[in-house]
Amino acid sequence: MQIAVHRGSKEVGGNCIEVRSGDTRIILDIGMPLFDEDRQALDTFTLRRKSTEDLKSNGILPNIPGLFDNDTPSPDGILLSHAHLDHTGLLNHAQDVIPIYASSGTSKMMLAGSLFAGQAELPRERFQEIKPEAPVKIGDFMVTGYAVDHSIFGCLAFLIEAEGKRLLYSGDLRSHGRKPGMGKRLIEALKDKPVDALLMEGTHFGFPDGNLASEYELEDEITELVRTCESLALASFSPQHVDRLVAFIRAAKKSGRTFVADVYTAFILYLLQHEIPLPQPEPNGLVRVYVPQTLEQSSHRKGRAKQIERFRDAEITLEEIREAPGKYLMVFRASMLDDFERQFPVQTACFYSRWHGYLEQPEWRSTQQILTNANGSLHDVHTSGHMLSKDIVSFVKAVNPTTIIPVHTFEPGHFKDHFNNVTQLQDGELCQIE
């Protein structure tokens, strides 16, 4: 078995890893890079709209035979650990004959993302579902997915077996979310399956851990802040982050407010209604639905009109919200500023639960100024979707692999501060698993 980390050996995001055995090749994730060589955030909005040829000429597409061109035989499968852009964002440029393996949850998140967030689609005719702990044979490989906790629904780690060797790809995961039992189950499942190589995410070996709160502690913090808010409460977060979605819905319920979802968020509630006990939008229920102006104007795109109509019975207008702002906790995006005519109700509070870097973007600078004009406030309520530094160490020691290969980190050398069995690769370097 051989591994080549084509992107991700020295950066956070853009994971794309090739694994070979005999005549079989599989690709682990096919992500859009998030940062340039100077660690400055890339304009992924623009990159998503570039052609395959432009991305090739810009060096964005990894040089993997047969993945983005048909000059050589294509890989035998693409495995997606989860639906985040930095793990799926280049999928639309891959050869359309390659099967795509992912969880049902990932397929649902990608459907929602493609409809409402301009993200990569998962073509139905190529989708091969991987159910947790149900092995799937792909050529010379036996692949088993294990459910892991991350900041999006449907995440998997992959155990890949061939030639008597075992490779574990962690994907993105954490231990401080709502489902810490997933990580414990993975460790338990590997007790009788010694791991020869662990491809381990190390986001927080290089980025500060930030807020150390668990998702449950964060929910308590959000709830208290919403309770003390005397006006409209705005919630800015990714609806694909279902843990955070649950926290805001519970905060609304505990504070006696109606949770106002946008159509994107409401669609995710609809998609997951049989998998998670989530409230559904109702005319007089806990959850109502607001249709942003930009969505109404683009309703002809990608079947959006059908989803808008799905929630018409539970729709709420901005006029209704303005009449009694203190009754609502509303999903908010900076693109909705014009809906508010760039004027929030007095003392509006915005609860920001995203990556801090977005706050430097022009639309968020404008949002902060409009909040100030309304005598309002911006509250940072966030905790990472990635393993904290101490948890990385604990997890790796529990798995006890023969060798550790760092990925999804700016500081792969930090692994050597904690472990003496690290194999640090360069992008494109082929490594034989011993």
Side-chain angles (χ1 to χ4, degrees):
M1 194 192 293
Q2 296 176 310
I3 306 171
V5 179
H6 290 279
R7 179 179 286 123
S9 68
K10 57 181 183 301
E11 66 186 279
V12 169
N15 277 26
C16 193
I17 300 159
E18 181 181 7
V19 188
R20 305 176 182 179
S21 178
D23 295 326
T24 305
R25 293 189 299 137
I26 57 176
I27 306 299
L28 307 178
D29 286 332
I30 186 167
M32 181 78 75
L34 300 180
F35 301 93
D36 62 20
E37 292 181 354
D38 298 321
R39 300 190 185 182
Q40 299 301 304
L42 291 169
D43 182 359
T44 56
F45 181 86
T46 299
L47 287 178
R48 278 180 277 171
R49 283 149 183 78
K50 287 187 176 293
S51 68
T52 301
E53 289 306 315
D54 284 342
L55 293 178
K56 281 182 180 178
S57 63
N58 292 341
I60 298 297
L61 297 185
N63 184 21
I64 303 175
L67 182 57
F68 301 107
D69 57 60
N70 57 9
D71 294 340
T72 58
S74 297
D76 297 276
I78 298 170
L79 279 64
L80 302 179
S81 63
H82 61 286
H84 278 153
L85 175 72
D86 61 324
H87 293 256
T88 66
L90 299 179
L91 185 64
N92 293 341
H93 301 280
Q95 289 297 302
D96 60 11
V97 297
I98 307 173
I100 303 165
Y101 297 82
S103 71
S104 170
T106 288
S107 73
K108 291 178 179 181
M109 293 300 97
M110 291 184 71
L111 172 61
S114 67
L115 281 175
F116 297 105
Q119 295 176 2
E121 296 185 54
L122 202 171
R124 292 184 181 181
E125 67 277 9
R126 294 165 61 193
F127 172 50
Q128 302 289 322
E129 182 181 354
I130 290 190
K131 297 180 179 180
E133 303 194 38
V136 173
K137 189 166 178 57
I138 307 174
D140 294 329
F141 292 108
M142 188 64 72
V143 176
T144 307
Y146 291 91
V148 293
D149 189 8
H150 180 40
S151 53
I152 191 170
F153 186 77
C155 301
L156 295 175
F158 292 115
L159 180 66
I160 301 162
E161 300 175 88
E163 304 177 35
K165 298 295 181 182
R166 293 190 183 94
L167 166 70
L168 179 66
Y169 174 48
S170 71
D172 289 357
L173 74 173
R174 61 179 178 171
S175 300
H176 60 285
R178 289 187 178 273
K179 302 172 286 294
M182 286 182 172
K184 294 175 182 177
R185 170 58 197 156
L186 174 56
I187 291 167
E188 177 68 24
L190 295 174
K191 276 188 175 180
D192 298 323
K193 298 179 179 180
V195 172
D196 296 288
L198 169 60
L199 281 161
M200 182 66 199
E201 82 118 308
T203 304
H204 285 298
F205 283 170
F207 273 135
D209 283 335
N211 186 0
L212 301 180
S214 70
E215 285 289 339
Y216 292 104
E217 292 167 336
L218 190 68
E219 178 188 323
D220 291 341
E221 179 184 348
I222 290 171
T223 300
E224 186 58 30
L225 287 168
V226 172
R227 279 176 174 159
T228 58
C229 175
E230 297 182 359
S231 182
L232 179 62
L234 301 176
S236 179
F237 67 104
S238 168
Q240 294 187 5
H241 191 336
V242 176
D243 280 3
R244 203 63 48 81
L245 172 58
V246 167
F248 277 112
I249 291 175
R250 288 182 175 176
K253 184 176 182 178
K254 292 174 184 176
S255 59
R257 294 180 182 240
T258 297
F259 180 79
V260 180
D262 63 354
V263 180
Y264 182 9
T265 305
F267 186 51
I268 286 177
L269 292 174
Y270 167 78
L271 289 175
L272 299 182
Q273 62 182 315
H274 299 302
E275 302 186 52
I276 302 176
L278 292 168
Q280 297 300 304
E282 295 177 351
N284 298 302
L286 171 63
V287 179
R288 300 280 299 280
V289 179
Y290 174 71
V291 183
Q293 292 177 12
T294 54
L295 188 59
E296 286 277 24
Q297 294 162 3
S298 64
S299 62
H300 61 284
R301 292 173 51 195
K302 293 186 177 181
R304 290 176 175 179
K306 179 179 179 181
Q307 306 312 326
I308 293 174
E309 293 307 314
R310 186 188 299 279
F311 304 110
R312 283 295 189 194
D313 288 348
E315 185 176 0
I316 188 170
T317 65
L318 200 54
E319 288 72 23
E320 189 175 348
I321 293 169
R322 284 187 182 278
E323 287 176 3
K327 291 183 178 180
Y328 302 102
L329 172 56
M330 181 182 188
V331 173
F332 172 77
R333 306 174 191 287
S335 60
M336 293 162 57
L337 286 176
D338 288 340
D339 295 39
F340 284 91
E341 299 178 336
R342 296 185 169 264
Q343 184 175 352
F344 293 131
V346 174
Q347 292 187 309
T348 291
C350 180
F351 302 102
Y352 184 84
S353 195
R354 296 177 179 271
W355 179 54
H356 293 173
Y358 295 140
L359 289 174
E360 299 302 317
Q361 295 178 349
E363 58 186 5
W364 270 103
R365 287 184 179 274
S366 296
T367 300
Q368 293 174 78
Q369 184 58 55
I370 294 168
L371 282 168
T372 299
N373 295 344
N375 196 26
S377 54
L378 180 76
H379 302 269
D380 180 10
V381 286
H382 188 59
T383 188
S384 179
H386 298 272
M387 267 197 172
L388 305 177
S389 300
K390 64 178 179 61
D391 294 331
I392 294 174
V393 175
S394 298
F395 178 80
V396 172
K397 287 182 177 179
V399 173
N400 192 27
T402 302
T403 189
I404 306 155
I405 302 173
V407 291
H408 206 279
T409 177
F410 279 126
E411 301 292 347
H414 283 198
F415 277 79
K416 294 181 179 178
D417 297 338
H418 303 278
F419 314 107
N420 58 14
N421 55 336
V422 177
T423 299
Q424 189 173 330
L425 299 181
Q426 298 299 314
D427 282 355
E429 178 183 357
L430 195 63
C431 173
Q432 181 85 28
I433 296 181
E434 301 297 337

